[in-house]
Amino acid sequence: MIEAFKELNPVMQALIGTLFTWGMTALGASLVFFVKGANQKFLDSMLAFAGGVMIAASYWSLLAPAIEMSSDGAVPSWIPAVVGFLLGGVLLLFIDRMLPALNTDRYLHDIKDNRAKNRTALLVFSMTLHNIPEGLAVGVAFGALASNVTESTLAGAMALAIGIGIQNFPEGTAVSMPLHRDGMGKKKSFMFGQFSGMVEPIAAVIGAFAVIAIEPILPYALSFAAGAMIFVVAKEIIPGSHEKGNVNLASISLMLGFAVMMTLDVALG
C-alpha cells in the first residue's frame, strides 16, 4: 500500500492525506453520540476543554510554525505572526458584529438562546478557518515533492498529515460537544463538528497546485487562524463555560484541554 501511495502524483497524495485528517475530525466529533444524559457540569467542562484545545492549537499548530517558516524571510520572523494574528481577531470581531444581521436561525434554529447561537456560529467558523491553513500546509508539503522526490521528504509530508489527523480528533470533539451543550441535536452537532475538517482536503489540493504562490503567505494564514481562535476563546468560550457558576471546574477543564493538545502537538511535531 505504501509503494502504491508513492506512485501517486503529489496532488492525489495530498488529497488522500487530508481525507485522513478529515476522517479523524469526524471520529472526534462522533463522541457526541456516546454522551447520554450528560449534566450541566459535564457540558460546561467540555466547552472549557474546547477552549484549552483551541488555545494550545493556536500556538503549537499555528503561531510557532508560522514563526519558524518566516525565520529565513525578508522581514523579521515575528511580523507575519503579529500581522496575521491581529487580522484574524479583527475579522472575528467584524463577524461577531454582523451575526445579529445574519439569518442564523436557518441553521441553528434548535439553539434557543441568542448568545449561545452566536457562540456556536463563531466556534464553528473559527475552527473551520483554523483547518484551512493546516490543509494548505499538507498540500504544500506534498506539492513540494514534485520537484524534490526523496524518501525523507515523502516521509515528512506523510508524518505531517498523520500528525494533523491525530490533532484533529480532539478538535472534532471540541466542536460537536459544545454544540450539543447549547441545545443542538447529536446528529446535527456531529455534522457541524466534522464539517470543520471538510475544508482540509480542498485546501490541500489548492496548496499542492499552487505551492510556489502559497508558501510565502502560509505564515500569515496560520497566524490569521490563530488570532481568530483566540478571539473566540476570550469572548465566548471562557465566559460561556462560567455562565452556570462552574468556574473552577471550567478552569481545570480548560487546562486539561490545553495539556492534551499541547502534548499531541509537541509529540507529533
Side-chain angles (χ1 to χ4, degrees), residues 55-248:
I55 293 172
S58 69
Y59 177 72
W60 274 280
S61 294
L62 299 169
L63 286 173
I67 294 170
E68 185 178 350
M69 288 177 189
S70 306
S71 59
D72 298 325
V75 298
S77 59
W78 55 269
I79 289 181
V82 171
V83 171
F85 184 82
L86 294 177
L87 286 176
V90 169
L91 175 66
L92 263 289
L93 176 62
F94 174 75
I95 291 172
D96 183 55
R97 295 285 178 87
M98 292 297 296
L99 280 176
L102 301 177
N103 185 20
T104 52
D105 287 335
R106 180 178 179 182
Y107 305 101
L108 306 174
H109 57 83
D110 36 6
I111 298 177
K112 305 305 179 185
D113 183 74
N114 285 332
R115 182 174 179 181
K117 197 171 293 185
N118 285 358
R119 178 169 61 237
T120 296
L122 286 173
L123 174 63
V124 173
F125 183 83
S126 66
M127 289 297 278
T128 303
L129 187 66
H130 147 260
N131 282 326
I132 292 174
E134 287 193 351
L136 286 173
V138 174
V140 167
F142 280 105
L145 299 177
S147 58
N148 184 25
V149 182
T150 67
E151 290 291 326
S152 60
T153 52
L154 177 60
M158 292 174 66
L160 176 64
I162 292 170
I164 289 176
I166 295 174
Q167 290 169 199
N168 281 5
F169 182 86
E171 290 175 5
T173 308
V175 176
S176 65
M177 292 298 291
L179 266 58
H180 182 54
R181 167 196 181 274
D182 287 334
M184 187 175 284
K186 291 185 177 183
K187 289 183 179 179
K188 198 169 180 180
S189 297
F190 165 75
M191 290 303 294
F192 273 102
Q194 64 82 34
F195 173 77
S196 66
M198 189 186 298
V199 295
E200 287 192 358
I202 300 169
V205 171
I206 294 171
F209 271 121
V211 61
I212 296 174
I214 290 294
E215 200 162 12
I217 68 167
L218 194 54
Y220 292 92
L222 290 166
S223 304
F224 185 89
M229 291 178 71
I230 292 297
F231 179 89
V232 175
V233 172
K235 185 179 186 300
E236 299 290 350
I237 300 298
I238 293 176
S241 65
H242 294 179
E243 281 176 356
K244 306 299 182 181
N246 298 313
V247 177
N248 289 338

